[in-house]
Amino acid sequence: MLEFINFYIIPGIVIGAIYALGAIGITLIFGILRFGHFAHGDLATTGAYLALGVTTLIGLTPWLSLPVAMILTALLAYGIHRLFYRHLEARPKILTVMASLGIGMMLRSVVQVAWGVDPLAYGSGIARAQSFAGLMLRPREIATLALTLALVATLLAFLRYSKWGKAMRAMSDNPDLARLCGVDNDRVTRLTWFIVGALAAASGFCLGINTELTTMMGWSAMLSMFAAAVLGGVGRVEGAVVGGLVIGLAEELSVLLVPSPYKSATAFVILLAILLLRPQGIFKGKVL
Amino acid sequence: MASIGLINYATFMGTMIGIYGILALGLNVQWGVTGLFNAGIAGFFAVGAYLSALLTAPPSPERIMGWELPVLVGWLGAMAGAALIAWPIGRVCLRFRSDYLAIATIGVAEVIRLVLRTEETLSGGARGITGVPRPFGGLEYSLSQFAYFALVIAVLLMVYWALERQLTAPWGRMMKAIRDNEQAAAAMGKDVERRRLESFVLGAAIMGLAGALYVHFMRAITPEAIDPMIATFLVWIMLILGGSGNNRGAILGAVIIWLIWSMSEFITDQLPADVATQAKYVRVFLIGLMLQLILRFRPEGLLPEESVQRTSHLAPPRS
């Protein structure tokens, strides 16, 4: 039983937490700005490599360089919005979706030019798992879970209690009505991109530190993140967290049933099933 | 000798343009006419390529099938196979906005790639499928290349002609009506979901045909033969640049983008090896940037959709 938990449940929860961080960003954009953001995985990759850049250039430890990378990626996300997405706002949303697919490719190729395509790591040395009453946890796994918990709690509190958080929820519910009530949609959009960029960097960083840094990692993880966002209910932050954990666990457990190369197809199957059976997701989100 | 090399190169380019032109025509049915976002073009292409190869290639102990059927059967099989994969995806996703279709088609392409890489009895492992027959393959090299080029162009023209007929028929007008105002079309009694499914499946079948043409041209295929995201993206940019909703625009876009793409490859190949790999990614970056510029400055493309009553559905609203 302990072995089962150590080999399947713990890795599932860790990867699920990483998916959750990515899925929150996707669900916020889907809910508030109303389009599927297909550059999200590559935004996460970029954030992860920015953290690597900060580590090598300034010599901070990886975990200390993460906040810097989060700020940089937040600015980058907003910059991309200003440069490429904003002028498409008045047109059908699907054009923004298409633009984002191109942005994803552009981000990926910038990372590939700057850092090369060979896998990289934040640091050398083997992190040994420690035993907690039989549960084997590595320090980086504990840190990943703690970081996810802290970010999700902060975000939920922000959305629930702060003025700007309420404005974000209002715009998510009905942008026109929100504007009539004096909500500045432009500022909410800017705030959304900052939050989304920072979270994307965090998810990319955690993905990189728990496995290795590859230029394709964000793109490959994006399908799982989207599935998590839809599973939880589009626009629902708590849904994205639950969805992320479910997808992460399902992927790790899938190897018990199907050959391991098909692990990454699990998310796709779940996505189709949820669209077929309950498109609004577990937490009753939007259906666009 | 040099001139023969040049002619061979031009025939090769022409054949690739023809194949990409067919892909762009397939996408035009889905996106240009119906407004469906298929981000998994390479997946349908691969299904067509593998199915046609397996149906027509000689048998091999390493993999299944290899039935040595006529090439035409392979092509029809490729179309049917791609359509068969598109159908369930369309059934699930076409009820929603196209964002969902986009992610589902990305997923399909990924799953197809996974299957091909994992199931060696299907794809022949790392060696891939070899010995795929080519029509006119028995001729001398240059002549055989040219004959196949002519065949691809003939298929391209046939697809073009068939689609033009289909789109000027009531079916085409109905599709555009659904694209431009779904609610109005539904109120007129059109079965929106069903029509979208028809269009999605038709487009996928055309993409499968393009895959079959490709595999018989190359005579072999491995799972790594094409980069799925780049291939998909190239087709998209061909259609958007040429003009969504216009079949001639789709072909024009295929010509321009393929020329730019392979010329830039020609240039980067001249660079020293250590910068050449980086230059490859710079090319991808530039093609992505090109999409952004077209979407911003000329969303209707070079040859806009012909219409009596309205401007392109991509243009900003007039109010």
Side-chain angles (χ1 to χ4, degrees), chain A residues 124-144:
Chain A
S124 52
I126 304 153
R128 211 165 265 291
Q130 288 165 306
S131 173
F132 296 89
L135 295 179
M136 304 299 280
L137 279 165
R138 291 182 180 80
R140 61 176 191 228
E141 292 172 336
I142 299 170
T144 301

Side-chain angles (χ1 to χ4, degrees), chain B residues 105-316:
Chain B
T105 43
I106 289 176
V108 170
E110 283 292 310
V111 170
I112 290 169
R113 204 165 61 98
L114 272 181
V115 171
L116 291 175
R117 273 169 53 175
T118 316
E119 304 301 325
E120 304 212 327
T121 53
L122 197 72
S123 61
R127 276 185 50 226
I129 301 175
T130 50
V132 181
R134 182 205 280 183
F136 313 112
L139 301 174
E140 182 263 329
Y141 179 75
S142 299
L143 210 57
S144 152
Q145 294 280 93
F146 190 80
Y148 196 76
F149 162 68
L151 184 63
V152 167
I153 296 302
V155 173
L156 173 72
L157 290 177
M158 261 174 60
V159 172
Y160 170 78
W161 175 78
L163 286 181
E164 281 290 298
R165 274 194 62 117
Q166 184 72 352
L167 296 185
T168 44
W171 188 85
R173 292 201 301 273
M174 176 175 61
M175 297 315 294
K176 289 181 179 178
I178 291 174
R179 177 194 68 191
D180 293 339
N181 194 337
E182 190 183 325
Q183 274 133 14
M188 303 287 280
K190 308 298 178 203
D191 189 343
V192 173
E193 222 179 285
R194 194 197 148 95
R195 299 302 164 192
R196 280 189 179 154
L197 187 61
E198 284 173 3
S199 155
F200 185 60
V201 169
L202 175 64
I206 296 173
M207 290 168 188
L209 175 65
L213 287 170
Y214 174 81
V215 77
H216 292 278
F217 180 50
M218 293 300 176
R219 291 180 163 142
I221 191 158
T222 61
E224 315 299 330
I226 43 165
D227 183 319
M229 223 33 239
I230 291 178
T232 297
F233 203 76
L234 279 179
V235 180
W236 266 105
I237 200 160
M238 283 167 182
L239 181 62
I240 306 269
L241 174 75
S244 335
N246 184 326
N247 285 328
R248 259 170 296 156
I251 297 173
L252 176 71
V255 175
I256 296 175
I257 294 296
W258 185 258
L259 284 178
I260 295 178
W261 182 248
S262 46
M263 291 299 169
S264 67
E265 185 175 27
F266 188 74
I267 294 168
T268 53
D269 282 352
Q270 311 295 314
L271 295 170
D274 48 331
V275 261
T277 31
Q278 294 195 329
K280 184 184 153 203
Y281 300 112
V282 173
R283 282 166 71 210
V284 177
F285 179 85
L286 290 177
I287 209 98
L289 185 63
M290 196 168 160
L291 176 81
Q292 313 299 334
L293 296 177
I294 298 170
L295 282 180
R296 175 158 192 174
F297 295 109
R298 200 170 167 88
E300 72 277 20
L302 295 175
L303 296 178
E305 181 181 343
E306 291 153 0
S307 173
V308 203
Q309 286 164 359
R310 39 167 287 282
T311 53
S312 167
H313 69 294
L314 301 175

